[in-house]
Amino acid sequence: MTNDIQQTEKAYSSKDIALMVDIAVPTVRKYAQALEKAGYEFIKSEAGARVFVERDAMAIRYLKEVREKTNISVEQASNVVLTRFENKSIQGVSPPDTEEKEQYEKRFEELEKKLEQQNEIIKQLAQTIDERDKKRDEIVMQNIREIQETKQLLLETAAEKEEEKKKGFFARLFSK
């Protein structure tokens, strides 16, 4: 495989190619194996899986069209595809630039630190809110108790006045 690398080339999986070319995933694998037997080279991941690029998608699409139009075998169609694509260099997908990777890692670490700081601030705010809620609840309960005491006093006073009204005129006059 040659090393003509384009940084912006997007990598596709078998499933992506199947959707693009409108064929089943196993058919993509079958076509890729036939193309490899004919001498076409695909990019492989570290795990050994094929990684497809635009050029590979075009080759598989062309293979599908040749098969549909001429009704020839996959191996014969692979040879036809190879003659069309053999003069052009096969492109690879480059690994990310190490400087760029370091920048991303540095930025990631910065974002992690900011996230930790924000989480700490959120915890502090939650504590403050809990403390305020507790104080508010205490004040509300104190006010409720005072209101109940005031109502009790008013009831007692009203009962005393009612008692006085029930006493006769002479009883009220001589009891003072």
Side-chain angles (χ1 to χ4, degrees):
M1 178 164 49
T2 60
N3 285 334
D4 291 340
I5 297 171
Q6 291 189 0
Q7 297 289 337
T8 59
E9 187 100 28
K10 184 176 179 187
Y12 299 99
S13 67
S14 296
K15 183 178 179 181
D16 297 331
I17 296 297
L19 290 172
M20 289 169 61
V21 180
D22 194 29
I23 56 177
V25 175
T27 307
V28 171
R29 291 190 197 108
K30 178 181 175 183
Y31 286 0
Q33 287 172 346
L35 285 169
E36 284 177 333
K37 282 182 185 177
Y40 191 92
E41 294 182 35
F42 289 99
I43 302 165
K44 302 275 183 154
S45 68
E46 292 176 7
R50 288 183 200 89
V51 178
F52 299 94
V53 291
E54 288 293 329
R55 178 168 161 48
D56 301 332
M58 290 175 14
I60 291 177
R61 182 177 286 120
Y62 185 63
L63 191 142
K64 176 190 171 196
E65 290 172 4
V66 168
R67 290 239 333 142
E68 288 173 349
K69 291 178 183 174
T70 60
N71 201 20
I72 60 176
S73 70
V74 176
E75 290 76 20
Q76 291 171 332
S78 297
N79 289 327
V80 171
V81 169
L82 195 60
T83 58
R84 179 173 179 185
F85 287 89
E86 72 182 342
N87 294 335
K88 298 175 184 165
S89 62
I90 299 172
Q91 301 175 9
V93 179
S94 68
D97 195 352
T98 51
E99 287 181 26
E100 192 175 313
K101 186 177 178 181
E102 289 173 4
Q103 283 179 330
Y104 287 132
E105 286 176 357
K106 184 179 177 183
R107 182 70 178 140
F108 180 74
E109 288 172 6
E110 290 173 2
L111 290 173
E112 276 185 325
K113 287 179 185 176
K114 286 183 180 181
L115 186 62
E116 287 176 15
Q117 290 172 348
Q118 288 177 347
N119 285 338
E120 192 61 37
I121 290 171
I122 289 170
K123 285 179 185 176
Q124 291 173 354
L125 287 173
Q127 260 183 337
T128 304
I129 290 171
D130 287 344
E131 290 170 5
R132 286 183 183 172
D133 286 349
K134 204 176 211 181
K135 287 179 184 176
R136 182 204 63 215
D137 291 346
E138 289 173 2
I139 291 171
V140 167
M141 288 306 294
Q142 183 180 356
N143 287 338
I144 289 173
R145 281 188 212 106
E146 288 175 1
I147 290 171
Q148 287 175 338
E149 288 173 6
T150 305
K151 282 184 178 179
Q152 186 65 33
L153 288 174
L154 288 173
L155 285 173
E156 288 174 5
T157 307
E160 286 177 11
K161 285 185 180 180
E162 191 66 32
E163 188 94 16
E164 293 243 350
K165 285 183 183 178
K166 287 183 180 178
K167 289 183 184 179
F169 172 75
F170 290 110
R172 277 188 271 159
L173 183 66
F174 293 116
S175 68
K176 289 185 183 179

